[in-house]
Amino acid sequence: DSADYDSEVESICPFCGVGCQISLKVKDNKVKYVEGINGPANEGRLCVKGRFGFDYIHHDHRLTKPLIRRDDAPAKGLNVDPGNWGEVFREASWEEALDFAAKGLKGRGREVAGFGSAKCANEEAYLFQKLIRQGFGHNNVDHCTRLCHASSVAALMENVGSGAVTATFNEIGNADVAIVIGANPVENHPVAATYFKQFTKRGGKLIVMDPRGVGLRRFASHMLQFRPGTDVSMLNAIMHVIVEEGLYDAQYIAAYTENWEAEKAHLEDFSPEKMAPICGIEADVLRDVARTFAGANAAMIFWGMGVSQHIHGTDNSRCLISLALMTGQIGRPGAGLHPLRGQNNVQGASDAGLIPMFLPDYQPVGDDGMRSAFTEVWGSGDFSAEKGLTVTEIMDAVHDGDIKAMYVLGENPAMSDPDVDHARDALAKLDHLVVQDIFLTETANYADVILPASAFAEKSGTVTNTNRQVQMGRPAVTPPGEAREDWWIEVELAKRLGLDWSYESPADVFAEMKLNMKSFDNITWDRLARENAVTYPSLSADDPGQAIVFGDGFPRPEGRAKFTPAAIVAPDDVPDADYPMILTTGRQLEHWHTGSMTRRSKVLDGLEPEANCSLHPSTLRRLGVAPGEHVRLSTKRGSIEIMAREDRAVAPDMVFLPFAYVEAAANILTNPAVDPYGKIPEFKFSAVRVEAA
Ligand code: SF4
């Protein structure tokens, strides 16, 4: 009832990449509740996080003043209570804190690295990469895309020529077959999952492929619960059948692709009969899936981190791209490739150049013309043509003594790095760590200076969802205490680093981004303020944007997409007698990433207050552990104790572990080995020992 609030403000949910539009109902500078509105991705729908997960912004742990580490503080470590930090930090004015932050960074060139954020707006991401490139002359700037879809983007850039989705997820409404592989949308992209369920209700065939019996299995025409890490053998077997039975689209292949003969020859070795014992799916089922997919009028492929977070993550995506190309399932209504993005602005932050090998719009840092185009717009600051270091390489470089100072905006590597002990030791070693965040995160524990920033509901900024929809976020309340908007903090820091920055608003930043980002053609700040969302590419000032791309060729040489054959690569950390089971990590519905936001939300933390892992009932019986009791999980890297849950969807030789809980941090256990192309760690496969605690 409108008496419950003084004002309502339209914005974007801060959690997953679906990008649901919301209305924030505000009274006395507090968000009272949230409703879904009619955005292009959600049409009024919201999941539990979007509806109830907003109250973290008013939590009493919010940082309200700049903080500087005390001279007599204890040694750096996880020793700070976020509600009681007085022994470690002292309050400072913005002047003092910004001067101190800049002094520790200035003039250090390659000794500085930057971690930006997929939770911040496009303008904030753009400013962050600019600050590192223009301010320090190199490309050591990255963000959490490295830990989620870097391998998908590597494969898409290589074979399709663009890292974004070729069709929005809503296009499933025009499909008759869809594959969802290595993704659990019911928990991780819940509103997208509602469209997937509707698709099956009107007769669409949903092929679900996952080592876990994920929630969509109840709607699936085919559920392929394959052995972890065997994606390539399973997908190549399916493609083998399509070749063997002549089910491919020869006309499409001839018109729009290259390297088909090599792919065809490569697939000869992957008969379903040969691959069935490897992937654990019967040959007949593989044949049926191949015929179903190839027989579709329009088919889409969706994938998540179950595909990307492997040392063969790029190969997994290469297979999915090849499958779509050989059947001509790209560039038409209801057809396309769609890696489901995790964070609300991971697409936009990547587009904005928060990547060590790419400038905004994925222009390679080695391209002299593009570097000059950027320095011309920036007015100064030549920067290196050499690719910068990735998130995990930066931590190694700290241990090697090459990186000595870091600026971290809205990321939490002390929880999210694939080897957190290694990362925490690295953070403790730094000469100077600047952390900009809304809470005193685990990473902020190691900071020399903390700059209190803004939550999504306290600032303006655009974000880009998994569908390529650029959407407008608006301020509904003012930041608490002296906390400030992120873009303002970046500008003030840049000025103190000697950069000539004079932006007065995020709209000014957006205007500059447009100068060298063709993806924003026909999209203006005023248009977004008016329309709330425009999909890129937009072909004219009144085109709402193209839901489907590549109907007429690809942004590659001669307009052709490419087949890249993929061979079987074994996981890095194979089970043995000491570590006989397989650990896989992920998210759960109620909690978000490292938990810094959702664990401070009353409803969400009330629903899932305790760290937990899931095991098959037969495994629990064998261990003599009842559901709710504790188990010890150990890998070659460390050990945690955690409450065990019974879950038939988890195979008997697996354990599923959410990574949101600091008291049982999953990444103490995970394997930092990376995919050679996307440099993404193998979060989805580690050898593990499970014992009663
Ligand atoms: Fe927010 Fe994603 Fe849920 Fe939508 S589906 S309400 S964007 S968390």
Side-chain angles (χ1 to χ4, degrees):
D1 154 351
S2 59
D4 293 344
Y5 54 88
D6 313 320
S7 61
E8 47 190 330
V9 176
E10 295 184 353
S11 194
I12 312 298
C13 172
F15 295 107
C16 88
V18 171
C20 294
Q21 288 192 6
I22 56 177
S23 171
L24 299 156
K25 313 294 182 186
V26 180
K27 189 164 185 156
D28 302 330
N29 203 35
K30 290 260 186 304
V31 176
K32 300 308 262 187
Y33 62 100
V34 166
E35 280 178 354
I37 57 171
N38 191 23
N42 65 315
E43 299 174 291
R45 308 167 201 197
L46 291 182
C47 77
V48 67
K49 284 194 288 290
R51 191 172 295 281
F52 298 112
F54 60 86
D55 53 331
Y56 71 89
I57 64 177
H58 303 309
H59 196 281
D60 59 12
H61 284 174
R62 278 293 300 272
L63 294 163
T64 57
K65 286 213 169 218
L67 303 178
I68 291 179
R69 181 170 289 273
R70 287 183 179 281
D71 293 338
D72 58 353
K76 289 181 179 177
L78 285 183
N79 49 11
V80 192
D81 173 351
N84 185 17
W85 36 256
E87 279 188 12
V88 183
F89 295 103
R90 64 174 173 82
E91 290 182 353
S93 67
W94 270 108
E95 270 317 293
E96 185 190 4
L98 286 163
D99 286 348
F100 181 74
K103 195 168 157 221
L105 298 173
K106 198 168 177 180
R108 298 190 87 141
R110 284 182 180 275
E111 290 179 0
V112 176
F115 282 12
S117 174
K119 289 193 285 290
C120 284
N122 289 326
E123 297 74 26
E124 294 158 350
Y126 174 85
L127 289 182
F128 193 85
Q129 59 85 35
K130 177 174 172 179
L131 184 142
I132 297 293
R133 291 186 162 117
Q134 189 187 27
F136 301 101
H138 59 72
N139 297 294
N140 291 340
V141 58
D142 204 359
H143 77 298
C144 69
T145 191
R146 190 68 39 216
L147 309 176
C148 58
H149 265 307
S151 53
S152 311
V153 171
L156 286 164
M157 292 295 291
E158 171 189 53
N159 298 296
V160 180
S162 158
V165 301
T166 73
T168 63
F169 67 74
N170 313 75
E171 274 301 311
I172 196 171
N174 293 316
D176 53 332
V177 175
I179 290 177
V180 177
I181 174 168
N184 187 10
V186 170
E187 301 211 28
N188 297 331
H189 301 85
V191 167
T194 64
Y195 289 86
F196 298 176
K197 293 174 194 170
Q198 275 179 339
F199 153 80
T200 64
K201 291 208 167 119
R202 59 159 189 75
K205 287 191 177 151
L206 184 66
I207 301 164
V208 178
M209 303 169 167
D210 201 286
R212 274 204 299 158
V214 290
L216 277 179
R217 72 185 181 283
R218 290 194 293 279
F219 301 85
S221 60
H222 302 72
M223 175 71 219
L224 278 60
Q225 201 167 342
F226 63 98
R227 294 219 169 91
T230 64
D231 317 56
V232 167
S233 47
M234 179 181 67
L235 294 168
N236 277 351
I238 290 166
M239 289 194 282
H240 172 100
V241 176
I242 291 172
V243 174
E244 186 186 63
E245 300 188 4
L247 304 175
Y248 51 89
D249 185 340
Q251 229 175 348
Y252 184 89
I253 292 168
Y256 293 115
T257 72
E258 64 183 46
N259 213 28
W260 170 238
E261 289 306 322
E263 176 77 30
K264 216 160 62 158
H266 175 75
L267 291 171
E268 271 173 28
D269 272 349
F270 292 87
S271 72
E273 290 69 24
K274 205 162 143 191
M275 293 302 109
I278 298 174
C279 65
I281 303 297
E282 287 174 17
D284 284 354
V285 175
L286 294 169
R287 286 186 182 279
D288 189 35
V289 166
R291 291 170 194 144
T292 304
F293 189 82
N297 290 318
M300 291 193 71
I301 302 176
F302 298 92
W303 70 98
M305 270 137 248
V307 163
S308 61
Q309 291 175 334
H310 286 280
I311 58 161
H312 49 84
T314 305
D315 285 329
N316 293 347
S317 289
R318 285 170 173 155
C319 290
L320 298 173
I321 294 164
S322 294
L323 178 58
L325 290 177
M326 70 170 59
T327 49
Q329 294 294 2
I330 300 190
R332 291 182 287 112
L337 292 163
H338 192 119
L340 286 155
R341 305 294 164 151
Q343 297 222 27
N344 82 326
N345 199 36
V346 71
Q347 181 67 58
S350 303
D351 296 343
L354 219 47
I355 306 184
M357 50 293 268
F358 292 121
L359 295 164
D361 259 0
Y362 305 94
Q363 301 172 95
V365 293
D367 181 329
D368 295 346
M370 280 323 304
R371 278 201 325 286
S372 311
F374 277 97
T375 43
E376 197 172 310
V377 166
W378 295 349
S380 70
D382 282 346
F383 57 95
S384 170
E386 211 179 298
K387 291 175 186 172
L389 300 174
T390 63
V391 159
T392 51
E393 288 168 347
I394 286 170
M395 290 305 180
D396 291 339
V398 176
H399 283 287
D400 293 345
D402 297 330
I403 297 285
K404 296 194 170 128
M406 214 184 276
Y407 176 22
V408 178
L409 191 171
E411 290 268 273
N412 194 7
M415 282 289 286
S416 60
D417 192 273
D419 183 349
V420 286
D421 286 338
H422 178 78
R424 290 169 185 176
D425 289 348
L427 294 169
K429 263 189 169 178
L430 289 166
D431 289 352
H432 190 66
L433 174 60
V434 180
V435 172
Q436 177 173 328
D437 213 309
I438 63 172
F439 293 118
L440 210 152
T441 60
E442 290 74 20
T443 300
N445 272 247
Y446 296 86
D448 294 284
V449 51
I450 303 174
L451 307 174
S454 296
F456 81 103
E458 296 158 0
K459 59 190 177 183
S460 299
T462 65
V463 288
T464 308
N465 69 359
T466 189
N467 280 345
R468 295 182 266 106
Q469 284 149 348
V470 187
Q471 307 202 83
M472 181 58 87
R474 298 181 179 85
V477 293
T478 53
E482 294 177 23
R484 296 298 305 252
E485 295 94 331
D486 292 82
W487 71 269
W488 180 89
I489 302 170
E490 290 171 284
V491 169
E492 290 303 313
L493 190 57
K495 286 179 183 167
R496 285 163 176 80
L497 292 169
L499 304 180
D500 181 21
W501 287 17
S502 57
Y503 310 99
E504 289 186 358
S505 70
D508 289 351
V509 183
F510 190 84
E512 179 178 309
M513 293 172 80
K514 280 175 62 61
L515 297 176
N516 275 322
M517 288 181 71
K518 283 194 72 56
S519 58
F520 283 173
D521 281 359
N522 299 309
I523 306 177
T524 62
W525 184 270
D526 288 348
R527 191 176 167 197
L528 290 169
R530 242 180 2 254
E531 298 176 24
N532 272 358
V534 180
T535 305
Y536 75 74
S538 164
L539 306 182
S540 67
D542 51 12
D543 172 20
Q546 302 294 302
I548 302 153
V549 291
F550 310 147
D552 194 21
F554 295 87
R556 290 195 72 255
E558 295 179 35
R560 287 175 181 276
K562 183 175 154 200
F563 289 99
T564 298
I568 295 174
V569 175
D572 180 73
D573 187 14
V574 181
D576 57 20
D578 290 335
Y579 303 98
M581 290 179 59
I582 299 164
L583 171 78
T584 188
T585 67
R587 301 199 303 249
Q588 59 188 138
L589 174 64
E590 295 79 2
H591 283 305
W592 181 248
H593 284 221
T594 65
S596 58
M597 291 148 71
T598 52
R599 295 201 78 195
R600 292 181 172 97
S601 162
K602 266 198 200 97
V603 171
L604 300 176
D605 202 50
L607 289 167
E608 280 291 359
E610 189 177 349
N612 58 85
C613 68
S614 300
L615 289 154
H616 192 269
S618 65
T619 314
L620 287 175
R621 270 199 307 279
R622 177 173 58 74
L623 295 170
V625 173
E629 291 182 349
H630 282 66
V631 288
R632 185 176 310 107
L633 309 180
S634 309
T635 67
K636 287 164 198 146
R637 293 156 294 279
S639 192
I640 62 171
E641 290 191 9
I642 190 165
M643 185 253 284
R645 240 177 215 166
E646 182 179 273
D647 186 352
R648 288 187 179 280
V650 178
D653 62 346
M654 283 181 72
V655 51
F656 172 74
L657 177 62
F659 61 87
Y661 300 94
V662 64
E663 64 275 31
N667 294 11
I668 287 173
L669 306 178
T670 48
N671 184 4
V674 296
D675 169 279
Y677 307 97
K679 307 274 180 85
I680 189 168
E682 190 154 61
F683 286 119
K684 289 290 186 276
F685 197 113
S686 302
V688 65
R689 182 170 64 241
V690 185
E691 304 155 290

